Each structure stands twice: as structure tokens, then as C-alpha cells.
Amino acid sequence: MPVGPLETESQFLKGIGPKLYPLASKIGLKTVQDVLFNFPRRYEDRRHLPKLKDVRGGEVVTIRGVIKDIETRPLRGGKVILRAVISDGTGMVALTWFNQPWVKKQLEGHEGEVLAFGELKEGKNWRLEMSSPEFELIGEGDDAEAFARITPVYRLTEGLPQKSLRRAAGDAIAKYLHEIVDPFPAKFLKEHQLIDLRTAVRAIHQPETQKEADEARKRLVFEEFFYLQVVLAQRRQSVHQEHGIAFPIQELIEGKPVILPTAPAETRTRAAVVKKERVPTTLFAETLEADLNRQGLREQIAALFPFKLTDAQQRVVDEIYRDMAEPYPMNRLVQGDVGAGKTAVAACAMLAAVRSGYQCALMAPTEILAEQHAVGLRRVFEPLGISVDFVAGKLKARQRKSTAERAKSGETQIVVGTHALIQDRLDFDRLGFVVIDEQHRFGVLQRAALRDKGLGHPDVLVMTATPIPRTLTMTLYGDLDVSIIDQLPPGRKPIKTHWKRASERDSVYQAVQRLLDEGRQAYFVCPLVSESEKLEAQAAEDLYYRLSHGPFSMRKIGLLHGQMKSDEKESVMEAFRRHELDILVSTTVIEVGVDVPNSTVMVIEDAQRFGLAQLHQLRGRVGRGEHQSYCILIADASTDDGRARLNIMTSTTDGFRIAEADLEIRGPGALAGTMQSGHSGFQLASLVHDAHLLEVARQAAIKLIADDPELTKPDHQGIRERTEEKRSRMALITIS
Ligand code: ADP
Ligand code: MG
């Protein structure tokens, strides 16, 4: 393969040279291209460095001065501390380094100025200190003119000074900038108000003004997001080419009779492609319970629940219906905070599917939740003559077999279950609609499994309680269409959240007693011990013992943990639902979805051990009815992160804000499941701060792919090549 000029080894650049080349290539700067696309981490505006007399403790600043004094002091354990005092004639600051003897060698004998960047702290006496600052020595060759600029600061590696990296970048720009080919055609740049790649690369390394740096960054961040969004847009487009079911939504809404679909035999086999024509609507033969259908779908829905759908719920139901009417499979994610009423939305969708003559499957992440859904859906659907079955791993073989038979014969219309639904390879007669609740528990890979396990091409609705910020949703689930229920049912009182120390436990218990006296119920969540279900169960039993032999000995208390048999769990839940129990002591098995409106207080022990998303989910178990609800976090938080999490919990109940805060505390890698840190491939882009640009890139990709799905137009060859280059790296995060 011919080697392009940009592939020239970086040893031929000034600043690197043969001597630093081994080090440079070790950190990924092998070629000129690598150097050009190694973007600065930040800038220093050296046009306005503050005078030392004007700086204060707590500020993060760059300062300059000459060395007045250097001393080392031994510390315990053979370590040393180095202090260098610098002065600019107006004031003095001490720079300190722990146990980095090589710094002393560099500073000693340096006559010129030192430049240091870091956070200033008020020292023991009056003096300001900066510990382990980044620093640079200003030598004789550095003229003041070149120095007083907006200066790029690169990721630092020991032995590769900033100055070398800057010179190398400067040399690469001078000699090779014109070799860079922009993958974006001029028209595209103009349309999206982006600067061209050469201008951007020069400006990101050598901005004349902050505005220039911002423009460059905008272009480059856009590009970092863009190719992934192109891949996702292509994915969505290809789903739209598959054959799915065109549900006769309009006919249902108008109350017209519809024809039962005849199920082609191949829908029952594993890898079959479901080929269905639009359901004909004119004939009367085999009309599906015409009586029921004479009432329009909306009227049927109004009779389904004891409440009116919120505007947000109604909007999302309409979005789903629009998808269902299309002849390709629906792939929609519904986000809604805990308590927003996602289940009702799913029920509306399932009603339409059933009325069209299809079966539905609903998959939930835990048995408790699946069972609760089964109970709730039965209450809603059975009066209409629609049957709801339940499958879970722990049911008896005989029960599972009978459900399997009923599913296969088409006798049952809705099957609710855990992932036993997948494992059992349940055969359906006419499966048309699949709901996956609390998606984040299943993860991206299981979504793939569900499609693989012979369910054909039904419409898929994924529901999640939003612990994922929108930016991540679009990165991870960008192949899905997204609906957001951004409104809680009316009359909900915001949950009051309090953070109490362990020493205040007695007063917490008294408050709980008062609520129980008023006829309410309470959850106690035991400390999260470890990943082990056994230890967690043990902790729950301990807490149960402590409460039932102590302050709450007069109350009826139930215990729930993951080690119990599933019928035991269910009977405890049922007793709590029926208010035969006042208190439910539980592990995090109640985290997801449990719905008992009369339970209005949740006490979480050792709350600092839980993650934010988990705390938010737990808290979502209360505040579901008309009464004021409370969440009490008992914690003696010992870490900064722990305190930060608890403070967020007491300051907001907004799931989106909590998710964003979580992202900020933990970093995107930890949140994203299969998306490993560093895997995101983003050098400049931040999932937290660049949400707007991500949206812009997403829209641009959708538009491009609508216009040129395979990227075959000559103008799009650059984009096509880059997308292919990136596709393999993205494999992990785009599996669906
Ligand atoms: P989610 O799954 O989104 O957390 P649920 O579907 O469990 O929420 O609903 C929470 C509670 O709110 C349930 O008790 C449900 O019956 C009730 N609910 C749902 N929609 C409405 C509505 N539009 N008006 C009043 N109550 C509602
Ligand atoms: Mg739910």
C-alpha cells in the first residue's frame, strides 16, 4: 500500500526527532497524522496571566514567576517533600511536590521564569501553595511574543515536555496541513454550519482567539459523534425495510370490524421471516368479536383504567399507534420516570395488538415485577375476556407446560414473564407485540437474544425508568425511536427526602410509627452488603429481627429477599399489597416497579452504599398515591462521592437530573454497561456537556441516510470510508 504523506513517521518532525521518537510512538504519536489529530486537552490563555498579588486560595490558575528558594524536607517513611517558592515581584507562591525527586533536578539552576498550573490552597501560614502543579520552564529561546498566546496543553507523558508536543504540532501544521482531506463535502459543511477540517485542525492547535478554538472544537466534536450516528441511522433504516405487521389501528379507532390474521406456519419456526400483508378490513368472515370492536379503541381505553391518561401518556400512545400501523417492525423506547405510568401505556398498545388478533408478550427483569404485571394486567384485561398468562423460572413444570400449550394454540392472548420467556423458547400462535420492561436491567445484549429466539419480527416496545441520560440513550440505543413520558399523573405530592445519621435512628423510627398510626405502610431497605444474594438476604433477616424485636414489635412485619422461594415472595408481596402487613423489610429486590400506593415511607439503611440510579429507583416505590410520602436515607457518609450522591437525592426527585449527576460522578463508562471506558472513542466530546452537538450530529446522520442510505453518492465517499473505519470499533456498543 502506498504510504501517504500523513503516514510519515513523527521522528521527522521538529520537537520529536529520533531521540524522542520511541517515547512518542509509545503513546500513540507514531505518524504525522497522529500528531495532527492529538488534540490539546485544554488551553492556557497566557495573554492575561494574573499577578501573584491578585490570586486567591481555591482558584485554579496559571501563574508565572522566578524561583527564589528551593528546599527539600524528609517525611516519614523515607518520602520527601519539595518546595519551590516563586515570585513575580508582586507576590509569592510555594509550589510543592511529594516524592518526585526528578523535579528538583529540573528546577535547580533554572534562571528564567517558571510557569505553573494548578489549584491554589491557603497554606498553614499566610502563604499560598500549589501542590503537584503542571509546570514549564521558560528558557532563553522562548520569546515573549510567542509565549503570550492562547497556548495548547496536551496530555502529558513523563519525558515528553509540552514544549516538544507544541513544536511537533506546529511543524506538522506548517508542512502537512494541506495534505488533510476533509471527508465532509462543502455543501454538508455549509448546511450544518461547520468549518472545514484543515481550518479546524490548525485552530484547535493554534487558536488566535477563544472563539476560533470553540469553532474548531465544535467541528471536531460533531465529527466524533457523527459516524456512530450514521451507523445507527443505517440500522434504523434497515429495520424499516423488514416486513412486520401493519396493525389496523385506524379501523380499530373507528370501531370497524377487522379480520383475524391467519398465521402463516413459518411464524412458528425459529429463523422465519414473518411476511405479512396489510390486514384486509373489508370482509365479515372471522370477524374478531365484532361487538367489542364496535366501540372505538379510544373508548375502550377510557373504560380500561379508573383514571384518565395524562397528556404525556396519550402522546406516547399515539406515537406507538403510528408505529404499529406501519408495515415494518416497531422498535421504540419509552422513557419515563418512576411512577410516570409506563405500564398503562403498554396496556394501551397491547389492547390494540390483541384487538387486531395478535398475541403479546411482556418481559420483566424480576419475578416479583413480572407477577405484579400479570396481576395488574389481569385486573384490566380479564373483564374484556382477554386472558393473561404468567411464566417464570420457578413455576412447576406442569404449569409451564400448560402456559406453553395455551400460547401455542393461541388460547392465551398475553403472556407475562421473566426471561424464562426467552429460555423456554415459548412458541406463539401469532405473536405480534413484545414489551420489555425496565430495559436497563436486561442490557443491550439480551435485546438481541429476544429477537434471535425465534420470536420473528413483532413490534417491540422497550420501557425504561430513565436512569440513562438522553445523551447516552442516543449513543447506546440510537437505533430505537424514543418517546418520553415527561409528566407525572396529577395529584402526586413530591416525595420529601431526608438524610439522617445513624445516631438519629430513633427519631426516624418514631416518625415511621406516626405514619403507621395514620394507616400508612412502610418499606425498610437493608444495607447493600455485597454482590452476594446470600449475604444480602442475611442482612435483611438481621434487620427484620432487629425491628420486630425492638421498636416495631407491635406491628406486622414481612420479609422479602432474593433467596426466598418464589411463592413465598409472592405471598409476602400479596399480603403487603392487601395491607395485612404494616412494614416490608426487603433487599433491593423491590427496587424495580413494585407498586403499593398506600406505602408512603421508605427507610434506606446505609444509603451511601447505593448508587444514585438505585436510590432513585428505590425511592420511586413511594409517592404513588394521594398521601404525602417520605424517603429517609440513613447514612454516615465517609466519602466525597457518597456525600455528593446523598445531597443530590435530597435536592431533587427529577430522574433526568439524577441521571446526569450520576454520569458526572461516575463517568460515562460505568453507566453504559457494555460500553467500556475508553471504548467510546471520543477524544474531545463529552457525553455530559456536548448533548446539544450530539443531537445535531444525530439529526444530520438521519437526514444523510434518508437521502443516501448506502452512501453511494460520490460526494459521500469520504463519510462512507470513515464510517467503515469506525464501524468495527463500534461493534460492541451497537449490537441490538
Ligand atoms: P412506572 O412503571 O412508569 O413506574 P406505573 O405504570 O407503575 O409507573 O404507574 C404508577 C402508578 O400510577 C400506578 O399505580 C398507576 O395505576 C398509576 N397511574 C398511571 N397512570 C395514571 C394516570 N394517568 N392517572 C392516575 N394514576 C395513574
Ligand atoms: Mg414500571
Side-chain angles (χ1 to χ4, degrees):
M1 234 175 79
V3 176
L6 292 177
E7 307 297 315
T8 309
E9 289 180 355
S10 62
Q11 62 168 315
F12 300 107
L13 291 173
K14 287 181 196 156
I16 293 181
K19 217 171 109 209
L20 289 179
Y21 180 64
L23 207 55
S25 50
K26 213 171 90 191
I27 60 163
L29 303 179
K30 268 198 170 67
T31 65
V32 168
Q33 160 117 355
D34 296 334
V35 172
L36 285 171
F37 288 87
N38 174 47
F39 303 133
R41 200 160 52 83
R42 61 179 180 84
Y43 301 97
E44 267 169 21
D45 191 347
R46 291 184 179 172
R47 296 169 306 179
H48 318 285
L49 293 186
K51 294 214 162 57
L52 292 185
K53 73 173 165 56
D54 294 328
V55 295
R56 298 280 174 276
E59 290 176 355
V60 178
V61 285
T62 303
I63 51 177
R64 65 194 284 189
V66 292
I67 301 173
K68 288 282 166 199
D69 183 35
I70 302 183
E71 57 165 28
T72 44
R73 263 189 299 130
L75 296 173
R76 258 176 297 171
K79 310 212 157 136
V80 289
I81 180 169
L82 169 70
R83 288 169 65 88
V85 176
I86 61 167
S87 158
D88 68 349
T90 73
M92 291 203 251
V93 167
L95 312 177
T96 62
W97 286 268
F98 287 92
N99 231 26
Q100 298 178 41
W102 63 87
V103 174
K104 187 170 180 214
K105 277 193 216 125
Q106 288 182 29
L107 295 183
E108 262 170 357
H110 177 69
E111 305 266 297
E113 283 182 310
V114 177
L115 204 68
F117 170 80
E119 182 178 355
L120 287 167
K121 292 231 169 78
E122 204 92 46
K124 271 199 210 88
N125 39 31
W126 54 272
R127 194 178 267 172
L128 287 172
E129 292 189 356
M130 202 182 256
S131 72
S132 298
E134 283 179 22
F135 71 100
E136 253 180 77
L137 307 177
I138 313 295
E140 289 182 357
D142 304 300
D143 64 300
E145 184 70 359
F147 174 81
R149 283 205 270 136
I150 298 178
T151 311
V153 180
Y154 298 91
R155 225 159 310 241
L156 208 55
T157 303
E158 203 182 305
L160 258 189
Q162 286 294 346
K163 236 187 282 180
S164 306
L165 291 170
R166 274 178 215 136
R167 280 188 76 191
D171 197 34
I173 286 167
K175 293 190 190 130
Y176 295 95
L177 190 69
H178 61 281
E179 301 286 353
I180 292 178
V181 179
D182 197 333
F184 295 159
K187 195 168 148 241
F188 184 91
L189 292 173
K190 189 153 175 254
E191 184 180 346
H192 300 291
Q193 295 173 11
L194 299 168
I195 60 172
D196 69 274
L197 188 54
R198 281 179 209 166
T199 308
V201 169
R202 192 202 53 75
I204 198 92
H205 291 287
Q206 305 172 336
E208 298 278 334
T209 61
Q210 187 59 44
K211 186 158 170 286
E212 232 183 61
D214 293 345
E215 284 294 307
R217 190 176 179 283
K218 179 180 153 201
R219 148 76 205 229
L220 297 165
V221 168
F222 175 96
E223 195 169 352
E224 285 184 2
F225 286 138
F226 181 68
Y227 302 115
L228 173 59
Q229 294 304 325
V230 169
V231 172
L232 293 170
Q234 284 177 325
R235 228 169 236 287
R236 286 177 30 163
Q237 181 99 355
S238 75
V239 166
H240 287 196
Q241 249 105 61
E242 285 170 21
H243 287 280
I245 303 159
F247 292 93
I249 299 292
Q250 195 49 42
E251 289 82 352
L252 290 174
I253 286 177
E254 288 167 19
K256 288 186 187 154
V258 297
I259 293 269
L260 261 181
T262 47
E266 71 262 33
T267 55
R268 300 192 191 121
T269 61
R270 199 183 130 91
V273 177
V274 185
K275 285 207 176 94
K276 287 219 178 81
E277 305 302 316
R278 226 167 229 290
V279 183
T281 56
T282 46
L283 299 173
F284 291 96
E286 285 196 79
T287 307
L288 179 77
E289 294 175 57
D291 273 354
L292 282 169
N293 276 335
R294 246 172 243 138
Q295 206 185 14
L297 191 55
R298 297 205 190 285
E299 290 73 40
Q300 292 182 51
I301 286 172
L304 212 53
F305 310 109
F307 46 77
K308 202 171 150 290
L309 293 183
T310 62
D311 290 348
Q313 281 172 315
Q314 189 58 58
R315 175 174 43 77
V316 172
V317 167
D318 288 342
E319 284 166 3
I320 293 169
Y321 282 171
R322 219 170 301 140
D323 279 358
M324 289 177 76
E326 297 289 347
Y328 51 80
M330 171 173 91
N331 243 323
R332 185 167 284 276
L333 178 76
V334 171
Q335 283 192 323
D337 213 340
V338 282
K342 295 182 287 295
T343 317
V345 166
C348 295
M350 288 193 281
L351 180 67
V354 170
R355 289 297 187 227
S356 310
Y358 289 92
Q359 293 169 292
C360 306
L362 186 153
M363 188 162 84
T366 65
E367 285 195 28
I368 290 179
L369 189 56
E371 174 103 35
Q372 179 181 281
H373 274 312
V375 170
L377 291 175
R378 263 185 207 132
R379 200 162 37 213
V380 169
F381 283 125
E382 272 176 358
L384 304 180
I386 297 171
S387 66
V388 178
D389 274 42
F390 174 62
V391 281
K394 289 174 186 168
L395 288 189
K396 293 198 183 68
R398 194 161 43 83
Q399 283 170 293
R400 287 167 83 164
K401 192 154 166 266
S402 101
T403 302
E405 278 162 10
R406 287 161 51 78
K408 190 164 180 178
S409 70
E411 210 178 320
T412 189
Q413 282 129 326
I414 297 176
V415 182
V416 179
T418 56
H419 47 272
L421 264 177
I422 297 178
Q423 278 150 8
D424 284 14
R425 293 274 310 277
L426 223 55
D427 276 345
F428 286 84
D429 182 32
R430 299 180 310 277
L431 182 68
F433 199 86
V434 173
V435 182
I436 306 178
D437 192 15
E438 307 296 353
Q439 150 82 14
H440 65 288
R441 279 290 191 102
F442 288 111
V444 187
L445 296 173
Q446 263 144 323
R447 187 146 53 91
L450 187 72
R451 278 195 173 278
D452 277 356
K453 294 277 172 162
L455 292 183
H457 288 196
D459 280 9
V460 176
L461 178 70
V462 176
M463 305 196 289
T464 172
T466 332
I468 324 162
R470 192 163 157 67
T471 46
L472 270 186
T473 309
M474 280 196 288
T475 315
L476 292 172
Y477 310 113
D479 55 334
L480 303 178
D481 296 302
V482 179
S483 292
I484 299 178
I485 310 180
D486 51 5
Q487 180 184 17
L488 293 179
R492 295 274 172 82
K493 299 190 178 76
I495 300 163
K496 292 188 176 157
T497 303
H498 301 285
W499 171 13
K500 298 287 181 189
R501 317 293 141 154
S503 58
E504 297 169 287
R505 202 175 259 123
D506 284 346
S507 69
V508 171
Y509 289 170
Q510 280 163 23
V512 173
Q513 294 284 18
R514 280 194 296 277
L515 290 168
L516 297 180
D517 287 341
E518 289 167 19
R520 305 285 81 74
Q521 292 162 275
Y523 297 107
F524 278 81
V525 177
C526 71
L528 188 74
V529 200
S530 66
E531 292 301 302
S532 149
E533 269 207 345
K534 243 204 184 104
L535 288 177
E536 216 175 272
Q538 180 69 50
E541 274 165 11
D542 289 350
L543 181 61
Y544 175 78
Y545 185 87
R546 211 154 42 77
L547 297 179
S548 54
H549 287 77
F552 296 100
S553 56
M554 307 298 286
R555 305 286 181 179
K556 282 164 288 179
I557 308 184
L559 173 65
L560 192 69
H561 60 67
Q563 295 278 289
M564 289 160 57
K565 292 215 185 68
S566 91
D567 51 346
E568 290 172 348
K569 276 194 279 192
E570 192 31 50
S571 69
V572 171
M573 264 325 291
E574 194 48 43
F576 190 67
R577 240 175 249 140
R578 286 205 296 259
H579 202 167
E580 290 160 15
L581 298 170
D582 302 304
I583 293 176
L584 187 62
V585 174
S586 170
T587 60
T588 52
V589 296
I590 59 155
E591 177 186 331
V592 170
V594 168
D595 186 24
V596 182
N598 189 49
S599 189
T600 59
V601 55
M602 159 150 299
V603 181
I604 303 175
E605 296 274 347
D606 264 356
Q608 80 279 6
R609 299 218 201 174
F610 295 88
L612 264 182
Q614 213 168 14
L615 288 173
H616 181 62
Q617 279 288 333
L618 284 168
R619 180 168 60 183
R621 299 313 107 216
V622 296
R624 307 191 135 238
E626 61 202 290
H627 303 288
Q628 176 62 54
S629 286
Y630 303 89
C631 174
I632 299 165
L633 308 166
I634 299 185
D636 292 331
S638 54
T639 65
D640 286 348
D641 276 8
R643 272 189 293 274
R645 288 198 300 269
L646 294 165
N647 282 326
I648 289 161
M649 286 301 292
T650 54
S651 65
T652 182
T653 53
D654 179 335
F656 276 95
R657 276 184 51 199
I658 289 173
E660 306 265 330
D662 204 16
L663 188 63
E664 248 169 288
I665 294 176
R666 292 203 288 163
L671 256 184
T674 54
M675 188 166 103
Q676 268 126 41
S677 58
H679 191 85
S680 61
F682 300 142
Q683 204 190 144
L684 290 172
S686 148
L687 287 170
V688 178
H689 301 294
D690 294 318
H692 170 69
L693 273 175
L694 176 56
E695 179 66 41
V696 172
R698 174 175 153 89
Q699 291 309 329
I702 289 172
K703 185 146 180 262
L704 178 75
I705 292 308
D707 165 50
D708 184 11
E710 307 288 330
L711 297 176
T712 47
K713 294 191 178 169
D715 247 11
H716 298 152
Q717 287 325 292
I719 293 176
R720 181 198 169 125
E721 277 163 30
R722 295 295 165 94
T723 303
E724 291 314 315
E725 262 169 44
K726 304 258 150 117
R727 197 188 293 270
S728 60
R729 279 213 282 148
M730 294 176 207
L732 248 183
I733 43 174
T734 57
I735 289 168
S736 65

mmCIF file of all heavy atoms in Angstrom, residues 593-609:
data_model
loop_
_atom_site.group_PDB
_atom_site.id
_atom_site.type_symbol
_atom_site.label_atom_id
_atom_site.label_comp_id
_atom_site.label_asym_id
_atom_site.label_seq_id
_atom_site.Cartn_x
_atom_site.Cartn_y
_atom_site.Cartn_z
ATOM 1 N N GLY A 593 -40.130 -1.265 40.029
ATOM 2 C CA GLY A 593 -41.516 -1.406 39.623
ATOM 3 C C GLY A 593 -42.587 -1.716 40.657
ATOM 4 O O GLY A 593 -43.760 -1.581 40.366
ATOM 5 N N VAL A 594 -42.214 -2.145 41.863
ATOM 6 C CA VAL A 594 -43.240 -2.549 42.827
ATOM 7 C C VAL A 594 -44.182 -1.378 43.127
ATOM 8 O O VAL A 594 -43.758 -0.255 43.315
ATOM 9 C CB VAL A 594 -42.591 -3.072 44.128
ATOM 10 C CG1 VAL A 594 -43.630 -3.217 45.228
ATOM 11 C CG2 VAL A 594 -41.912 -4.398 43.874
ATOM 12 N N ASP A 595 -45.470 -1.652 43.172
ATOM 13 C CA ASP A 595 -46.471 -0.594 43.194
ATOM 14 C C ASP A 595 -47.511 -0.811 44.291
ATOM 15 O O ASP A 595 -48.464 -1.551 44.115
ATOM 16 C CB ASP A 595 -47.156 -0.557 41.813
ATOM 17 C CG ASP A 595 -48.113 0.614 41.686
ATOM 18 O OD1 ASP A 595 -47.920 1.611 42.415
ATOM 19 O OD2 ASP A 595 -49.040 0.527 40.869
ATOM 20 N N VAL A 596 -47.303 -0.193 45.458
ATOM 21 C CA VAL A 596 -48.281 -0.256 46.545
ATOM 22 C C VAL A 596 -48.531 1.183 47.024
ATOM 23 O O VAL A 596 -47.797 1.700 47.855
ATOM 24 C CB VAL A 596 -47.787 -1.124 47.724
ATOM 25 C CG1 VAL A 596 -48.840 -1.202 48.821
ATOM 26 C CG2 VAL A 596 -47.428 -2.531 47.256
ATOM 27 N N PRO A 597 -49.570 1.829 46.489
ATOM 28 C CA PRO A 597 -49.759 3.261 46.752
ATOM 29 C C PRO A 597 -49.912 3.631 48.231
ATOM 30 O O PRO A 597 -49.585 4.755 48.611
ATOM 31 C CB PRO A 597 -51.038 3.593 45.983
ATOM 32 C CG PRO A 597 -51.146 2.538 44.930
ATOM 33 C CD PRO A 597 -50.530 1.307 45.519
ATOM 34 N N ASN A 598 -50.397 2.715 49.069
ATOM 35 C CA ASN A 598 -50.580 3.067 50.479
ATOM 36 C C ASN A 598 -49.263 3.093 51.262
ATOM 37 O O ASN A 598 -49.211 3.537 52.397
ATOM 38 C CB ASN A 598 -51.559 2.104 51.153
ATOM 39 C CG ASN A 598 -51.941 2.567 52.543
ATOM 40 O OD1 ASN A 598 -52.309 3.739 52.742
ATOM 41 N ND2 ASN A 598 -51.809 1.691 53.527
ATOM 42 N N SER A 599 -48.214 2.599 50.648
ATOM 43 C CA SER A 599 -46.923 2.605 51.329
ATOM 44 C C SER A 599 -46.250 3.948 51.067
ATOM 45 O O SER A 599 -45.947 4.279 49.928
ATOM 46 C CB SER A 599 -46.069 1.457 50.807
ATOM 47 O OG SER A 599 -44.921 1.353 51.601
ATOM 48 N N THR A 600 -46.062 4.726 52.133
ATOM 49 C CA THR A 600 -45.650 6.110 51.909
ATOM 50 C C THR A 600 -44.318 6.482 52.532
ATOM 51 O O THR A 600 -43.917 7.630 52.482
ATOM 52 C CB THR A 600 -46.707 7.097 52.457
ATOM 53 O OG1 THR A 600 -46.855 6.835 53.854
ATOM 54 C CG2 THR A 600 -48.033 6.950 51.747
ATOM 55 N N VAL A 601 -43.652 5.514 53.144
ATOM 56 C CA VAL A 601 -42.333 5.872 53.658
ATOM 57 C C VAL A 601 -41.349 4.750 53.370
ATOM 58 O O VAL A 601 -41.676 3.562 53.460
ATOM 59 C CB VAL A 601 -42.368 6.223 55.168
ATOM 60 C CG1 VAL A 601 -42.968 5.108 55.991
ATOM 61 C CG2 VAL A 601 -40.961 6.565 55.687
ATOM 62 N N MET A 602 -40.163 5.171 52.944
ATOM 63 C CA MET A 602 -39.117 4.214 52.661
ATOM 64 C C MET A 602 -37.877 4.612 53.451
ATOM 65 O O MET A 602 -37.407 5.743 53.334
ATOM 66 C CB MET A 602 -38.810 4.223 51.171
ATOM 67 C CG MET A 602 -37.449 3.663 50.866
ATOM 68 S SD MET A 602 -37.350 2.883 49.264
ATOM 69 C CE MET A 602 -38.506 1.576 49.340
ATOM 70 N N VAL A 603 -37.405 3.685 54.288
ATOM 71 C CA VAL A 603 -36.192 3.943 55.055
ATOM 72 C C VAL A 603 -35.072 3.112 54.440
ATOM 73 O O VAL A 603 -35.200 1.891 54.328
ATOM 74 C CB VAL A 603 -36.383 3.547 56.531
ATOM 75 C CG1 VAL A 603 -35.114 3.847 57.325
ATOM 76 C CG2 VAL A 603 -37.580 4.270 57.126
ATOM 77 N N ILE A 604 -34.019 3.758 54.023
ATOM 78 C CA ILE A 604 -32.905 3.035 53.399
ATOM 79 C C ILE A 604 -31.697 3.075 54.324
ATOM 80 O O ILE A 604 -31.174 4.148 54.633
ATOM 81 C CB ILE A 604 -32.548 3.632 52.027
ATOM 82 C CG1 ILE A 604 -33.777 3.617 51.118
ATOM 83 C CG2 ILE A 604 -31.402 2.849 51.385
ATOM 84 C CD1 ILE A 604 -33.564 4.297 49.780
ATOM 85 N N GLU A 605 -31.299 1.920 54.800
ATOM 86 C CA GLU A 605 -30.161 1.829 55.714
ATOM 87 C C GLU A 605 -28.858 1.910 54.928
ATOM 88 O O GLU A 605 -28.764 1.392 53.812
ATOM 89 C CB GLU A 605 -30.217 0.491 56.471
ATOM 90 C CG GLU A 605 -31.423 0.330 57.367
ATOM 91 C CD GLU A 605 -31.210 0.922 58.763
ATOM 92 O OE1 GLU A 605 -30.048 1.237 59.119
ATOM 93 O OE2 GLU A 605 -32.205 1.082 59.496
ATOM 94 N N ASP A 606 -27.848 2.530 55.542
ATOM 95 C CA ASP A 606 -26.530 2.620 54.903
ATOM 96 C C ASP A 606 -26.619 3.123 53.466
ATOM 97 O O ASP A 606 -26.023 2.562 52.544
ATOM 98 C CB ASP A 606 -25.857 1.235 54.890
ATOM 99 C CG ASP A 606 -24.916 1.096 56.080
ATOM 100 O OD1 ASP A 606 -24.747 2.074 56.819
ATOM 101 O OD2 ASP A 606 -24.366 -0.007 56.265
ATOM 102 N N ALA A 607 -27.374 4.189 53.327
ATOM 103 C CA ALA A 607 -27.723 4.633 51.975
ATOM 104 C C ALA A 607 -26.514 5.014 51.120
ATOM 105 O O ALA A 607 -26.584 4.985 49.897
ATOM 106 C CB ALA A 607 -28.693 5.806 52.060
ATOM 107 N N GLN A 608 -25.405 5.354 51.772
ATOM 108 C CA GLN A 608 -24.256 5.778 50.963
ATOM 109 C C GLN A 608 -23.685 4.637 50.122
ATOM 110 O O GLN A 608 -22.905 4.857 49.214
ATOM 111 C CB GLN A 608 -23.159 6.395 51.851
ATOM 112 C CG GLN A 608 -22.262 5.409 52.574
ATOM 113 C CD GLN A 608 -22.915 4.866 53.846
ATOM 114 O OE1 GLN A 608 -24.074 5.139 54.133
ATOM 115 N NE2 GLN A 608 -22.164 4.089 54.612
ATOM 116 N N ARG A 609 -24.082 3.418 50.439
ATOM 117 C CA ARG A 609 -23.546 2.291 49.667
ATOM 118 C C ARG A 609 -24.237 2.079 48.333
ATOM 119 O O ARG A 609 -23.785 1.300 47.506
ATOM 120 C CB ARG A 609 -23.720 1.004 50.466
ATOM 121 C CG ARG A 609 -23.004 1.037 51.760
ATOM 122 C CD ARG A 609 -22.416 -0.305 52.024
ATOM 123 N NE ARG A 609 -22.139 -0.476 53.416
ATOM 124 C CZ ARG A 609 -21.718 -1.616 53.922
ATOM 125 N NH1 ARG A 609 -21.577 -2.659 53.153
ATOM 126 N NH2 ARG A 609 -21.459 -1.686 55.202
#
